[in-house]
Amino acid sequence: MTGLPRVITRHWGDESVIPLDGYVAAGGHRGLRKALEMAPDDVIALVKAAGLRGRGGAGFPTGMKWSFVPQDTGKPTYVVVNFDESEPGTANNRELVEREPHQLLEGAVITALAVRCETVFVYCRGEFLWPGTVLARAIAEAYGAGYLGADVLGSGRRVDVVMHRGAGSYICGEETALLSSLEGFRGQPRLRPPFPAVEGLYSAPTVINNVETLCNVPHILSEGAEAFRATGTEKSPGTKMFTLSGKVERPGNYELPMGTPFRVLLEECGGGVLGGKGLKAWTPGGSSTPMLTAEHMNVGLDFESIAEVGSMLGTGAVMVLDETDCVVEVARRLTEFYAHESCGKCTPCREGTWWATRVLGRIEEGYGREEDIPLMGEMGRNILFRSFCALADGAVSPISSTLKHFQAEYEAHVREGRCPVTGVGPGKAPLEGVASS
Amino acid sequence: MAVFEGATLAEARAIVARYPAGRERSSVMPLLYLGQSIEGRVTREALREVAELLGLTTAEIESVASFYTMIRLRPTGTHVVTVCTNLACALRGAKDVYEAAHRASDIPHGAELSEDGVISLHEEECMGACERAPVVAIDFAYHDEISPARVTELIQALRRGEVPAPSRGTAPRDFRHASRVLAGLEGDPA
Ligand SMILES: Cc1cc2nc3c(=O)[nH]c(=O)nc-3n(C[C@H](O)[C@H](O)[C@H](O)COP(=O)(O)O)c2cc1C
Ligand code: SF4
Ligand code: FES
């Protein structure tokens, strides 16, 4: 489509790579064979040299994370695959697993070898019944063919993979909440430090990585650090998955080199805004990342370039709003999400998100007061960086960024007593309703 | 034990054995799913028995169960229908899909379970399939790009006792079967 290089989606559309033999025939497991010939520390050094950064949202250097794992604790080391994918707008981990489950497993096994781990847990989002089943089948196949188990490919190294299905909770994607959940507790975050690499699952050293991150690892092993760095930017090497959704002609998951301008994703991959309407706003990396606007058409999609314009690359989940969408309504619906998913541990997040839904709701419905607009800004400042985990910081993004770019639209809601974009109000607007479960 | 007995008790013990020795508590979620696969939801009796299996208190198990929305402590239909209404789906008409689903299943607003007990319906947060919005799941099997007319057909099929084929993969027979898959006891939903 764009002619740009693809790495982890190069086999998409070829269903023969779903079973193990087809995966191997297409070149799979060359990375694992390479890793088995290397010293664990050399594998870590290679991933460091490649400059791979975590794709789960924060962009932390993967090789560095692995190198933090102490080897002298006398405890086992664990690897946890974060397959909880629940950031609104994000859907690429699901498709990566559905289309090439062994690519993920190969990456996970290489990671286990690098940090000298014998047990890998996959925390699979509960709702992903079918993708989880695709992965469970792949695990069974890999055991049958000696890629997993007591003696991986005759190397004498043991790697087991255990699937654990989640049960419907966004916060369980946050790494410390995930560990609480996997240990059989409520999914509430824990204080860091100690970081999971030092004290994670069962208080033992634990590496937690995102599915997309791990899918890159086999290619770094088989093709080398230089080949990995040949795409992307100096500080954000490689490719990134983008889930393009909302008001676009061709929604989809697209893999693009880091640094590709947003315009290419929207126009060449997505076919432009749905129905040829004007672009209003877009999230670069899920609902937790501040929205950008039509002004940012040429911004590069990489960690640094997005940060420069005041947002975050996050998960690469690009949700597109067109000129007919009301930003107050969008902010209200997203804030309901955070209010619903707040784990309840701390007050600014638990109470603040709920109150924000009330205030946004009344502005949206045409009952807003003039002081509500500064009040929203103040609420944001009282939640941001004052809560226990990053869920609350993410909750502020839709409010603060829409206020920043579209304050006039908020003011018009209050002044006119109805939505200046859709004309709705007073009364309920079309998107109303809180998820009830 | 009334819920975990016979073959089910053996399955429960196999679930516990997936986790390292001394870390049996990790099996609480799959055990709750196993209980749910038998009773169609998690009853007080199941909570009590999971506690007994793990040497914990019923209160400890309930505190876990009540945290997770896919563990159902309330009466639940044969099928659980979820309509994603988060942003990517809302932008492509999810609200109308949700309204149509309510009408087709004769469930009034504020209620969740149809009178005949066939369908539990609720709004869901982002289901991780945003590029195929709007998304509806039946017992966690996903149906992509759903219109109000299509969700009406899907629900009518369920009410006739049929299970419509999802967009990818195979569908579980019902919510109990889905819970069994979630307990990790079957590789295949079909
Ligand atoms: C509220 C919240 C939800 C998160 N959800 C996910 C998720 O679903 N999947 C994921 O990989 N990371 C998620 N993360 C990030 C993880 O905490 C963690 O940084 C990540 O899994 C590390 O993997 P990486 O270095 O490979 O990106 C979430 C973080 C927060 C604060
Ligand atoms: S910020 Fe929110 S989600 Fe995070 S610990 Fe506090 S209450 Fe829980
Ligand atoms: S918003 Fe509906 S699946 Fe993501």
Side-chain angles (χ1 to χ4, degrees):
Chain A
M1 193 177 329
T2 57
L4 293 167
R6 295 191 294 154
V7 179
I8 60 176
T9 64
R10 63 174 71 154
H11 294 135
W12 278 22
D14 175 1
E15 295 194 356
S16 75
V17 302
I18 299 173
L20 180 59
D21 52 357
Y23 179 68
V24 172
H29 281 310
R30 279 184 301 145
L32 172 60
R33 289 183 188 278
K34 191 86 177 286
L36 283 168
E37 292 164 6
M38 294 166 68
D41 289 344
D42 292 342
V43 176
I44 298 180
L46 178 64
V47 172
K48 265 189 186 168
L52 175 64
R53 296 172 64 179
R55 304 308 199 224
F60 193 82
T62 305
M64 197 188 294
K65 184 187 274 188
W66 298 359
S67 70
F68 291 156
V69 171
Q71 293 295 339
D72 54 1
T73 60
K75 295 177 186 167
T77 297
Y78 295 105
V79 168
V80 177
V81 179
N82 190 340
F83 186 23
D84 196 49
E85 187 165 71
S86 337
E87 169 74 12
T90 315
N92 72 72
N93 289 183
R94 190 203 84 244
E95 197 161 6
L96 285 167
V97 168
E98 285 175 349
R99 291 189 182 270
E100 206 167 358
H102 288 286
Q103 178 174 251
L104 169 64
L105 287 179
E106 183 181 356
V109 174
I110 295 168
T111 308
L113 295 172
V115 300
R116 300 176 175 85
C117 144
E118 295 192 342
T119 311
V120 177
F121 287 95
V122 179
Y123 191 99
C124 174
R125 177 176 183 170
E127 287 86 350
F128 283 174
L129 196 73
W130 174 249
T133 296
V134 172
L135 192 57
R137 282 185 188 176
I139 292 169
E141 261 189 310
Y143 268 108
Y147 289 91
L148 290 175
D151 185 15
V152 173
L153 295 180
S155 65
R157 299 289 307 274
R158 168 186 280 277
V159 180
D160 288 309
V161 176
V162 180
M163 269 270 282
H164 185 94
R165 304 257 197 173
S169 162
Y170 168 62
I171 190 60
C172 288
E174 194 279 335
E175 57 186 21
T176 63
L178 186 155
L179 295 175
S180 302
S181 177
L182 185 49
E183 291 178 1
F185 293 87
R186 295 165 76 84
Q188 288 184 317
R190 306 171 180 175
L191 196 64
R192 292 177 304 185
F195 287 93
V198 178
E199 228 176 273
L201 185 66
Y202 311 132
S203 304
T206 303
V207 164
I208 303 165
N209 276 125
N210 168 266
V211 166
E212 183 188 346
T213 311
L214 293 173
C215 285
N216 277 286
V217 169
H219 304 282
I220 293 173
L221 267 289
S222 63
E223 284 145 55
E226 280 316 304
F228 183 77
R229 286 190 160 278
T231 41
T233 67
E234 174 64 28
K235 288 186 175 157
S236 300
T239 64
K240 175 82 194 80
M241 293 298 304
F242 295 95
T243 305
L244 184 64
S245 69
K247 298 290 183 64
V248 293
E249 286 287 341
R250 286 191 299 271
N253 281 313
Y254 300 100
E255 181 184 14
L256 291 171
M258 287 271 196
T260 302
F262 170 61
R263 180 187 296 282
V264 172
L265 175 65
L266 178 66
E267 292 177 354
E268 292 183 37
C269 301
V273 177
L274 189 64
K277 293 219 170 70
L279 172 68
K280 183 165 188 175
W282 54 288
T283 60
S287 63
S288 303
T289 61
M291 284 185 214
L292 298 173
T293 66
E295 241 179 76
H296 305 106
M297 278 297 274
N298 292 317
V299 73
L301 298 170
D302 60 87
F303 291 109
E304 287 69 32
S305 306
I306 299 277
E308 262 165 44
V309 293
S311 187
M312 289 175 287
L313 184 65
T315 61
V318 176
M319 295 186 280
V320 174
L321 313 186
D322 73 28
E323 58 197 347
T324 67
D325 295 314
C326 164
V327 291
V328 181
E329 182 180 359
V330 167
R332 192 262 307 143
R333 179 60 186 88
L334 291 177
T335 306
E336 281 174 1
F337 164 76
Y338 293 98
H340 181 238
E341 298 295 334
S342 167
C343 83
K345 184 175 178 128
C346 50
T347 315
C349 171
R350 185 188 61 237
E351 305 297 322
T353 51
W354 187 84
W355 276 107
T357 63
R358 313 309 294 171
V359 178
L360 286 166
R362 75 178 176 236
I363 298 174
E364 176 190 353
E365 289 166 18
Y367 301 108
R369 304 174 304 203
E370 239 168 72
E371 56 273 28
D372 283 346
I373 294 166
L375 179 64
M376 286 316 309
E378 199 187 307
M379 269 187 172
R381 284 187 293 279
N382 277 315
I383 296 174
L384 194 63
F385 307 133
R386 288 177 192 225
S387 304
F388 193 80
C389 85
L391 180 143
D393 303 335
V396 176
S397 291
I399 304 173
S400 62
S401 63
T402 52
L403 268 172
K404 173 176 161 191
H405 297 299
F406 304 98
Q407 182 161 346
E409 192 170 315
Y410 277 84
E411 287 165 355
H413 273 84
V414 173
R415 197 175 52 242
E416 297 170 24
R418 61 187 181 87
C419 176
V421 185
T422 62
V424 173
K428 299 278 183 194
L431 280 169
E432 66 94 23
V434 190
S436 52
S437 71
Chain B
M1 294 209 175
V3 184
F4 297 91
E5 56 174 6
T8 308
L9 185 59
E11 287 176 336
R13 296 207 197 286
I15 287 172
V16 176
R18 279 181 206 154
Y19 300 91
R23 308 298 180 184
E24 290 79 8
R25 183 169 178 151
S26 282
S27 59
V28 55
M29 262 155 45
L31 288 175
L32 290 167
Y33 276 137
L34 178 60
Q36 187 161 274
S37 76
I38 291 163
E39 300 193 287
R41 65 163 166 143
V42 173
T43 59
R44 288 216 65 79
E45 184 53 25
L47 292 173
R48 210 188 52 69
E49 292 184 17
V50 170
E52 198 183 319
L53 277 166
L54 297 177
L56 297 165
T57 64
T58 308
E60 282 170 302
I61 302 302
E62 188 169 6
S63 85
V64 178
S66 63
F67 187 82
Y68 298 98
T69 54
M70 288 172 66
I71 303 294
R72 308 269 315 183
L73 298 167
R74 297 183 296 262
T76 296
T78 311
H79 300 287
V80 173
V81 178
T82 46
V83 180
C84 174
T85 61
N86 204 310
L87 185 55
C89 287
L91 288 168
R92 297 184 80 101
K95 198 67 208 176
D96 293 338
V97 173
Y98 183 57
E99 293 301 328
H102 261 288
R103 279 194 301 276
S105 46
D106 283 326
I107 300 174
H109 280 284
E112 200 183 59
L113 180 60
S114 66
E115 223 155 80
D116 55 9
V118 175
I119 291 164
S120 284
L121 171 68
H122 60 87
E123 271 182 271
E124 191 51 270
E125 294 297 359
C126 175
M127 299 203 286
C130 326
E131 86 285 14
R132 295 157 193 268
V135 182
V136 170
I138 299 174
D139 305 319
F140 313 111
Y142 285 29
H143 297 258
D144 301 341
E145 291 166 36
I146 294 301
S147 62
R150 180 68 188 138
V151 80
T152 304
E153 285 170 16
L154 292 174
I155 287 174
Q156 283 167 350
L158 292 176
R159 297 183 80 176
R160 285 194 303 270
E162 296 160 21
V163 176
S167 298
R168 273 150 290 126
T170 46
R173 287 184 300 278
D174 53 21
F175 179 66
R176 290 178 194 224
H177 188 198
S179 299
R180 191 170 162 79
V181 176
L182 289 164
L185 287 169
E186 269 169 76
D188 278 337

mmCIF file of all heavy atoms in Angstrom, chain A residues 12 24 74 76 78 93 99 105 125 141 181 188 208 219 257 298 306 313 325 378 433:
data_model
loop_
_atom_site.group_PDB
_atom_site.id
_atom_site.type_symbol
_atom_site.label_atom_id
_atom_site.label_comp_id
_atom_site.label_asym_id
_atom_site.label_seq_id
_atom_site.Cartn_x
_atom_site.Cartn_y
_atom_site.Cartn_z
ATOM 1 N N TRP A 12 1.258 -11.056 7.030
ATOM 2 C CA TRP A 12 -0.188 -10.907 7.176
ATOM 3 C C TRP A 12 -0.888 -11.201 5.856
ATOM 4 O O TRP A 12 -0.429 -10.776 4.794
ATOM 5 C CB TRP A 12 -0.532 -9.490 7.652
ATOM 6 C CG TRP A 12 -0.389 -9.349 9.139
ATOM 7 C CD1 TRP A 12 0.361 -10.131 9.968
ATOM 8 C CD2 TRP A 12 -1.010 -8.368 9.976
ATOM 9 N NE1 TRP A 12 0.255 -9.681 11.262
ATOM 10 C CE2 TRP A 12 -0.579 -8.615 11.294
ATOM 11 C CE3 TRP A 12 -1.887 -7.307 9.740
ATOM 12 C CZ2 TRP A 12 -0.998 -7.833 12.380
ATOM 13 C CZ3 TRP A 12 -2.293 -6.529 10.815
ATOM 14 C CH2 TRP A 12 -1.862 -6.799 12.116
ATOM 15 N N VAL A 24 7.617 -22.083 10.408
ATOM 16 C CA VAL A 24 9.019 -22.453 10.224
ATOM 17 C C VAL A 24 9.384 -22.372 8.736
ATOM 18 O O VAL A 24 10.439 -21.847 8.371
ATOM 19 C CB VAL A 24 9.286 -23.860 10.811
ATOM 20 C CG1 VAL A 24 10.689 -24.342 10.451
ATOM 21 C CG2 VAL A 24 9.103 -23.833 12.327
ATOM 22 N N GLY A 74 18.698 -16.136 44.025
ATOM 23 C CA GLY A 74 18.309 -17.477 44.436
ATOM 24 C C GLY A 74 16.850 -17.791 44.142
ATOM 25 O O GLY A 74 16.373 -18.890 44.401
ATOM 26 N N PRO A 76 13.543 -17.925 41.301
ATOM 27 C CA PRO A 76 13.382 -18.064 39.850
ATOM 28 C C PRO A 76 13.141 -16.692 39.220
ATOM 29 O O PRO A 76 12.761 -15.740 39.903
ATOM 30 C CB PRO A 76 12.140 -18.951 39.709
ATOM 31 C CG PRO A 76 11.449 -18.892 41.015
ATOM 32 C CD PRO A 76 12.449 -18.514 42.058
ATOM 33 N N TYR A 78 10.951 -14.698 36.201
ATOM 34 C CA TYR A 78 9.763 -14.901 35.369
ATOM 35 C C TYR A 78 9.719 -13.902 34.229
ATOM 36 O O TYR A 78 10.229 -12.773 34.348
ATOM 37 C CB TYR A 78 8.482 -14.747 36.204
ATOM 38 C CG TYR A 78 8.336 -15.803 37.277
ATOM 39 C CD1 TYR A 78 8.563 -15.505 38.619
ATOM 40 C CD2 TYR A 78 7.991 -17.113 36.935
ATOM 41 C CE1 TYR A 78 8.439 -16.473 39.606
ATOM 42 C CE2 TYR A 78 7.878 -18.094 37.910
ATOM 43 C CZ TYR A 78 8.101 -17.768 39.241
ATOM 44 O OH TYR A 78 7.985 -18.735 40.201
ATOM 45 N N ASN A 93 -2.296 -5.907 19.161
ATOM 46 C CA ASN A 93 -1.778 -7.133 19.782
ATOM 47 C C ASN A 93 -2.679 -8.310 19.412
ATOM 48 O O ASN A 93 -2.208 -9.405 19.145
ATOM 49 C CB ASN A 93 -1.727 -7.008 21.308
ATOM 50 C CG ASN A 93 -0.652 -6.052 21.833
ATOM 51 O OD1 ASN A 93 -0.480 -5.902 23.032
ATOM 52 N ND2 ASN A 93 0.083 -5.413 20.954
ATOM 53 N N ARG A 99 -2.839 -13.625 13.680
ATOM 54 C CA ARG A 99 -2.242 -13.888 12.371
ATOM 55 C C ARG A 99 -0.906 -14.618 12.414
ATOM 56 O O ARG A 99 -0.496 -15.223 11.430
ATOM 57 C CB ARG A 99 -2.070 -12.574 11.596
ATOM 58 C CG ARG A 99 -3.392 -11.964 11.184
ATOM 59 C CD ARG A 99 -3.130 -10.819 10.243
ATOM 60 N NE ARG A 99 -4.333 -10.144 9.826
ATOM 61 C CZ ARG A 99 -5.045 -10.482 8.746
ATOM 62 N NH1 ARG A 99 -4.671 -11.513 8.011
ATOM 63 N NH2 ARG A 99 -6.114 -9.796 8.424
ATOM 64 N N LEU A 105 5.411 -16.222 20.422
ATOM 65 C CA LEU A 105 6.021 -17.251 21.280
ATOM 66 C C LEU A 105 7.530 -17.285 21.103
ATOM 67 O O LEU A 105 8.276 -17.412 22.076
ATOM 68 C CB LEU A 105 5.418 -18.626 20.968
ATOM 69 C CG LEU A 105 3.989 -18.849 21.464
ATOM 70 C CD1 LEU A 105 3.507 -20.242 21.076
ATOM 71 C CD2 LEU A 105 3.910 -18.681 22.990
ATOM 72 N N ARG A 125 -5.952 -10.970 27.876
ATOM 73 C CA ARG A 125 -7.203 -10.269 28.165
ATOM 74 C C ARG A 125 -8.393 -11.245 28.115
ATOM 75 O O ARG A 125 -8.542 -12.019 27.162
ATOM 76 C CB ARG A 125 -7.363 -9.179 27.096
ATOM 77 C CG ARG A 125 -8.620 -8.441 27.225
ATOM 78 C CD ARG A 125 -8.770 -7.304 26.267
ATOM 79 N NE ARG A 125 -10.039 -6.741 26.686
ATOM 80 C CZ ARG A 125 -10.560 -5.622 26.292
ATOM 81 N NH1 ARG A 125 -9.939 -4.881 25.424
ATOM 82 N NH2 ARG A 125 -11.708 -5.211 26.765
ATOM 83 N N GLU A 141 1.221 -26.795 20.169
ATOM 84 C CA GLU A 141 2.036 -27.231 19.031
ATOM 85 C C GLU A 141 3.523 -27.095 19.326
ATOM 86 O O GLU A 141 4.323 -27.966 18.975
ATOM 87 C CB GLU A 141 1.742 -26.292 17.842
ATOM 88 C CG GLU A 141 0.778 -26.768 16.820
ATOM 89 C CD GLU A 141 0.819 -25.793 15.644
ATOM 90 O OE1 GLU A 141 0.726 -24.557 15.865
ATOM 91 O OE2 GLU A 141 0.971 -26.251 14.521
ATOM 92 N N SER A 181 -3.046 -9.279 39.935
ATOM 93 C CA SER A 181 -4.103 -10.101 39.382
ATOM 94 C C SER A 181 -3.620 -11.534 39.145
ATOM 95 O O SER A 181 -4.298 -12.504 39.483
ATOM 96 C CB SER A 181 -4.586 -9.464 38.071
ATOM 97 O OG SER A 181 -5.567 -10.255 37.466
ATOM 98 N N GLN A 188 -5.019 -4.359 41.669
ATOM 99 C CA GLN A 188 -4.667 -3.001 42.072
ATOM 100 C C GLN A 188 -3.164 -2.793 41.986
ATOM 101 O O GLN A 188 -2.388 -3.684 42.328
ATOM 102 C CB GLN A 188 -5.181 -2.708 43.484
ATOM 103 C CG GLN A 188 -6.717 -2.555 43.454
ATOM 104 C CD GLN A 188 -7.307 -2.166 44.779
ATOM 105 O OE1 GLN A 188 -6.912 -2.704 45.805
ATOM 106 N NE2 GLN A 188 -8.267 -1.257 44.762
ATOM 107 N N ILE A 208 8.367 -7.858 32.222
ATOM 108 C CA ILE A 208 7.032 -7.748 31.627
ATOM 109 C C ILE A 208 7.161 -6.985 30.318
ATOM 110 O O ILE A 208 7.703 -5.879 30.303
ATOM 111 C CB ILE A 208 6.065 -6.992 32.563
ATOM 112 C CG1 ILE A 208 5.999 -7.685 33.922
ATOM 113 C CG2 ILE A 208 4.666 -6.899 31.947
ATOM 114 C CD1 ILE A 208 5.371 -6.833 34.995
ATOM 115 N N HIS A 219 13.165 -10.996 15.013
ATOM 116 C CA HIS A 219 13.777 -10.371 13.835
ATOM 117 C C HIS A 219 15.103 -9.715 14.181
ATOM 118 O O HIS A 219 16.016 -9.686 13.361
ATOM 119 C CB HIS A 219 12.803 -9.361 13.223
ATOM 120 C CG HIS A 219 11.494 -10.001 12.884
ATOM 121 N ND1 HIS A 219 11.315 -10.769 11.763
ATOM 122 C CD2 HIS A 219 10.313 -10.053 13.556
ATOM 123 C CE1 HIS A 219 10.079 -11.247 11.740
ATOM 124 N NE2 HIS A 219 9.453 -10.824 12.827
ATOM 125 N N PRO A 257 7.162 2.486 9.518
ATOM 126 C CA PRO A 257 8.412 2.876 10.177
ATOM 127 C C PRO A 257 8.145 3.996 11.180
ATOM 128 O O PRO A 257 7.352 4.907 10.897
ATOM 129 C CB PRO A 257 9.279 3.388 9.022
ATOM 130 C CG PRO A 257 8.727 2.722 7.806
ATOM 131 C CD PRO A 257 7.250 2.604 8.057
ATOM 132 N N ASN A 298 1.605 16.750 9.637
ATOM 133 C CA ASN A 298 2.929 16.320 9.172
ATOM 134 C C ASN A 298 3.840 15.874 10.309
ATOM 135 O O ASN A 298 5.013 15.610 10.085
ATOM 136 C CB ASN A 298 3.584 17.445 8.366
ATOM 137 C CG ASN A 298 2.824 17.667 7.064
ATOM 138 O OD1 ASN A 298 2.443 16.710 6.389
ATOM 139 N ND2 ASN A 298 2.549 18.921 6.740
ATOM 140 N N ILE A 306 6.226 13.153 18.635
ATOM 141 C CA ILE A 306 4.908 13.340 19.239
ATOM 142 C C ILE A 306 5.048 14.080 20.569
ATOM 143 O O ILE A 306 4.225 14.933 20.914
ATOM 144 C CB ILE A 306 4.190 11.985 19.448
ATOM 145 C CG1 ILE A 306 3.982 11.271 18.103
ATOM 146 C CG2 ILE A 306 2.877 12.168 20.176
ATOM 147 C CD1 ILE A 306 2.802 11.688 17.316
ATOM 148 N N LEU A 313 3.308 9.005 22.070
ATOM 149 C CA LEU A 313 3.052 7.978 21.053
ATOM 150 C C LEU A 313 2.182 6.849 21.612
ATOM 151 O O LEU A 313 1.440 6.206 20.864
ATOM 152 C CB LEU A 313 4.384 7.418 20.535
ATOM 153 C CG LEU A 313 4.286 6.407 19.397
ATOM 154 C CD1 LEU A 313 3.721 7.060 18.145
ATOM 155 C CD2 LEU A 313 5.650 5.790 19.097
ATOM 156 N N ASP A 325 -17.960 16.013 14.862
ATOM 157 C CA ASP A 325 -17.961 15.410 16.200
ATOM 158 C C ASP A 325 -17.777 16.465 17.280
ATOM 159 O O ASP A 325 -16.993 17.393 17.125
ATOM 160 C CB ASP A 325 -16.853 14.355 16.296
ATOM 161 C CG ASP A 325 -17.111 13.182 15.362
ATOM 162 O OD1 ASP A 325 -18.258 12.704 15.344
ATOM 163 O OD2 ASP A 325 -16.184 12.760 14.645
ATOM 164 N N GLU A 378 -9.035 22.860 36.494
ATOM 165 C CA GLU A 378 -8.514 22.689 37.848
ATOM 166 C C GLU A 378 -8.584 21.227 38.290
ATOM 167 O O GLU A 378 -7.655 20.702 38.903
ATOM 168 C CB GLU A 378 -9.344 23.560 38.790
ATOM 169 C CG GLU A 378 -8.665 23.839 40.101
ATOM 170 C CD GLU A 378 -9.620 24.554 41.037
ATOM 171 O OE1 GLU A 378 -10.180 25.579 40.616
ATOM 172 O OE2 GLU A 378 -9.810 24.072 42.163
ATOM 173 N N GLY A 433 -24.692 7.610 28.129
ATOM 174 C CA GLY A 433 -24.753 6.302 28.754
ATOM 175 C C GLY A 433 -23.404 5.902 29.318
ATOM 176 O O GLY A 433 -22.369 6.137 28.731
#
